[in-house]
Amino acid sequence: MDLEGEALDPRAVADAIEQIESLVASINDGDDARLILTNLRGGSAHISMVAADSPLDTLADGIEELRSGPVSPRGWTRDTLIATVGLAKVSTRRGVESISLRIGDAISAIDGVIQTNAEAALAPSSRGLGSVRGHLYRYTNDRGRRSAGLRRADTGEAIDLRFAAENADQVRKHLEQQVEAWGEIARDATGHIAYVTIEGIEPVAGPHEPAPTSEGRGLLGSDWLGGADPAEWVRMMRG
């Protein structure tokens, strides 16, 4: 990785390394990147690292694919796109004039085109009706912009919930509960849920929450003992 410029802000180097680690982890199914720093030279910053057992060609090919437009490159995830945007933003640090990655023989500039297309790929590109279930863990009202956070029960991912003022009381009421929310689901180019504009929300039993005993009352019907008195049936079973 090359950060070209003069009088670089040291935080630019730290931020760039952090984003590289996120990039590599994102194409390794979230596993630790296991980066090894092999060279670091100053002035402009030239950083060499080895990433063990990582399909780095996927990164190089994806960057060039992303240069052509706001797409989700083959082998990339939402986290890869987010890390790419983060790496591009290192250019806003003091002294940084350009950023480039060298992967094998490929040299890829992480410039404004890459950042713009990656951000566009992360933006909602399709909408449809549906519902999500999970733990409602956050509620905010920032200058009239209301939102909430839901952690999905099936994947664990955090989802942003948006809603109108008339639904605010219902959302607050179910905070820190397992809920089902339904409405318009906005997805990005990766198919990830960017946010849900909810029309309704209600509590549901959590994945580890037993149903109350009352819900089982009457399930076996009135003749499950064959007409025998329950007390007699118990004595018979005990011998």
Side-chain angles (χ1 to χ4, degrees):
M1 177 174 56
D2 298 319
L3 303 181
E4 299 291 350
E6 296 181 0
L8 292 180
D9 186 335
R11 289 172 296 181
V13 178
D15 289 351
I17 292 175
E18 181 180 356
Q19 297 304 327
I20 291 295
E21 185 175 28
S22 296
L23 275 173
V24 176
S26 70
I27 60 171
N28 278 352
D29 297 324
D31 292 339
D32 290 339
R34 297 177 60 199
L35 295 179
I36 300 171
L37 184 64
T38 58
N39 186 31
L40 174 60
R41 291 183 287 122
S44 294
H46 305 281
I47 306 163
S48 299
M49 291 173 282
V50 173
D53 303 323
S54 296
L56 295 182
D57 288 344
T58 301
L59 283 180
D61 294 344
I63 291 170
E64 294 313 307
E65 189 176 347
L66 190 61
R67 188 173 297 283
S68 66
V71 298
S72 178
R74 291 180 294 275
W76 282 36
T77 65
R78 179 177 175 84
D79 288 340
T80 317
L81 288 167
I82 291 173
T84 299
V85 172
L87 182 57
K89 288 183 176 179
V90 173
S91 62
T92 63
R93 290 290 192 184
R94 172 175 46 83
V96 180
E97 297 177 358
S98 67
I99 304 169
S100 62
L101 291 180
R102 300 169 182 262
I103 301 174
D105 295 329
I107 301 176
S108 302
I110 309 300
D111 53 20
V113 173
I114 295 297
Q115 180 179 344
T116 298
N117 286 340
E119 288 175 335
L122 288 167
S125 58
S126 66
R127 290 173 170 81
L129 299 178
S131 65
V132 289
R133 286 191 176 196
H135 179 70
L136 186 66
Y137 69 92
R138 173 177 59 80
Y139 171 87
T140 58
N141 185 348
D142 183 13
R143 301 176 184 177
R145 183 185 179 279
R146 299 170 180 83
S147 68
L150 179 142
R151 193 165 300 282
R152 288 183 65 174
D154 52 351
T155 65
E157 67 180 319
I159 298 212
D160 186 46
L161 303 182
R162 303 180 182 182
F163 46 90
E166 56 264 28
N167 291 327
D169 288 343
Q170 278 293 98
V171 174
R172 286 197 302 267
K173 176 182 176 181
H174 300 311
L175 192 60
E176 299 301 337
Q177 296 183 34
Q178 295 290 329
V179 300
E180 180 174 21
W182 61 90
E184 184 181 73
I185 298 177
R187 298 180 182 273
D188 60 27
T190 70
H192 177 90
I193 296 177
Y195 60 84
V196 179
T197 302
I198 65 173
E199 297 294 332
I201 186 170
E202 64 182 14
V204 297
H208 304 296
E209 182 180 334
T213 305
S214 59
E215 290 188 5
R217 186 176 300 144
L219 289 178
L220 299 178
S222 59
D223 59 346
W224 72 284
L225 296 180
D229 179 84
E232 293 178 358
W233 185 85
V234 171
R235 284 194 292 270
M236 181 178 66
M237 291 296 101
R238 290 177 176 175

